[in-house]
């Protein structure tokens, strides 16, 4: 069984709700995942896992939240080759750079050698209706992409 970690930052609870639904999907698919808040861990924790999921809301006009800044900078020191990864997050289309923090995390993981196994999941504010199932499917799909790691 692959070791999976989900690390996220949430201010209003939208990204936290997404992480809970993704976790539900992972568990429904038979996976186990460690969940951490970005501000409570250092990036080198990723070296202990086969599968990495990062989630963040977008702050301001396309910026990472403060809770993710140190973690993001620490990624520069890591070689994530052989790791499977995916990213998700919430945003607000009132801003020109909708959910740009998700893109920043994906670019950094790929730059550090991680294999991005799913398209990023971006939602407007909090998940509702079909989006809730989309989050669970994201988790299930991630488990499927890490089988045999």
């Amino acid at each position: 069984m692959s070791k999976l970690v989900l690390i996220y930052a949430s201010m209003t609870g939208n990204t936290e709700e997404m992480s809970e639904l993704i976790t539900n999907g992972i568990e429904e698919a038979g996976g186990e995942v460690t969940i951490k808040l970005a501000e409570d861990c250092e990036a080198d924790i990723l070296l202990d896992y086969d599968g990495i999921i990062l989630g963040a809301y977008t702050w301001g006009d396309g910026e990472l939240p403060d809770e993710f800044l140190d973690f993001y900078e620490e990624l520069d020191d890591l070689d994530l080759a052989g790791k499977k990864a995916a990213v998700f997050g919430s945003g607000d289309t009132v801003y020109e750079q909708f959910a740009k923090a998700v893109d920043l995390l994906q670019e950094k993981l790929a730059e550090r050698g991680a294999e991005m196994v799913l398209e990023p999941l971006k939602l407007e504010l909090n998940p509702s209706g079909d989006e809730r199932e989309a989050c669970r499917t994201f988790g299930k799909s991630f488990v499927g992409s890490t089988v045999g790691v």
Side-chain angles (χ1 to χ4, degrees), residues 3 5 7 15-16 28 54 60 62 77 83 105 111 121 136 139:
K3 287 183 64 178
V5 66
I7 299 171
T15 308
E16 179 178 20
E28 288 170 17
L54 300 183
D77 298 328
K83 308 289 184 184
L105 290 173
E111 172 190 303
L121 178 62
R136 283 190 283 273

Side-chain angles (χ1 to χ4, degrees), residues 64-119:
L64 281 170
D66 286 347
E67 301 94 325
F68 242 113
L69 292 178
D70 289 341
F71 187 95
Y72 182 82
E73 290 175 11
E74 292 169 8
L75 287 171
D76 287 333
D77 298 328
L78 301 181
D79 177 1
L80 299 177
K83 308 289 184 184
K84 309 279 186 174
V87 293
F88 70 95
S90 60
D92 189 337
T93 54
V94 73
Y95 293 100
E96 186 176 322
Q97 299 288 327
F98 173 69
K100 180 68 175 173
V102 174
D103 299 332
L104 294 171
L105 290 173
Q106 174 160 310
E107 290 164 8
K108 181 63 75 175
L109 287 170
E111 172 190 303
R112 302 313 309 150
E115 177 187 352
M116 305 308 297
V117 296
L118 298 175
E119 289 296 316

Side-chain angles (χ1 to χ4, degrees), residues 12-18 21 56-58 60 88-100 102 120-132 134-135:
T12 61
N14 297 336
T15 308
E16 179 178 20
E17 185 176 357
M18 289 179 75
L21 292 164
Y57 65 93
T58 299
F88 70 95
S90 60
D92 189 337
T93 54
V94 73
Y95 293 100
E96 186 176 322
Q97 299 288 327
F98 173 69
K100 180 68 175 173
V102 174
L121 178 62
K122 298 179 182 182
L123 297 183
E124 170 86 11
L125 303 175
N126 64 315
S128 59
D130 292 344
E131 294 171 335
R132 296 176 62 79
C135 290

